[in-house]
Amino acid sequence: MERDPGIETLLDLQDQIIDQGSGYWVKIEAYQVEPTPDVPHGIRYSLTLHEPYGKRILGYDNAHAVKPPKKFKYAGRRLTFDHMHRHARDPGVPYEFKNAHQLLADFFSEVDQVLLEVKKR
């Protein structure tokens, strides 16, 4: 895999807690690991959005493999480690990791969407 310049940005955000207003907050964890077939970009990450009482309501991570949607049942796809969770009990849906900057952009775009939905309730 070619060098991803966004990796340094992601690593610089390690252990950051970012206030999102109204008690909501984002936590970013990222550290370098040896690239493997499961983690070809060589970064373990967890980007999470939490409600005021601490419950995770959105997460992007690569901590474990997730099965592709049922429509790919026989497509010969391998289990992916990059995925997102839309709520606390969501087992995760695959996320296509392109590069670290895109990961951050996709995550914060989803954070904005979730917070808009929360405000409508």
Side-chain angles (χ1 to χ4, degrees):
M1 185 169 215
E2 69 183 58
R3 186 186 174 298
D4 176 359
I7 295 290
E8 292 306 316
T9 302
L10 185 58
L11 291 172
D12 286 345
L13 292 169
Q14 164 63 10
D15 284 336
Q16 294 295 308
I17 304 290
I18 304 168
D19 180 31
Q20 299 296 299
S22 301
Y24 291 85
W25 48 280
V26 163
K27 181 175 183 181
I28 298 178
E29 297 176 323
Y31 55 94
Q32 214 155 11
V33 297
E34 284 297 316
T36 67
D38 296 326
V39 185
H41 39 71
I43 297 294
R44 282 285 185 192
Y45 63 86
S46 174
L47 313 174
T48 53
L49 171 65
H50 300 263
E51 68 172 6
Y53 297 104
K55 179 179 168 188
R56 180 189 76 189
I57 57 174
L58 173 68
Y60 280 53
D61 68 80
N62 62 353
H64 57 84
V66 294
K67 293 180 182 178
K70 293 247 189 246
K71 67 181 179 180
F72 296 117
K73 186 175 181 181
Y74 299 107
R77 290 179 47 128
R78 48 178 283 145
L79 297 180
T80 181
F81 273 64
D82 296 295
H83 62 278
M84 65 176 280
H85 301 270
R86 194 56 175 14
H87 53 77
R89 289 185 296 251
D90 177 1
V93 295
Y95 170 77
E96 185 179 342
F97 184 98
K98 294 179 180 96
N99 61 58
H101 281 146
Q102 190 64 52
L103 170 69
L104 289 165
D106 292 346
F107 173 71
F108 280 105
S109 176
E110 191 76 19
V111 165
D112 291 344
Q113 183 64 38
V114 170
L115 293 176
L116 280 174
E117 290 172 12
V118 166
K119 288 179 183 178
K120 289 180 184 179
R121 291 182 199 158

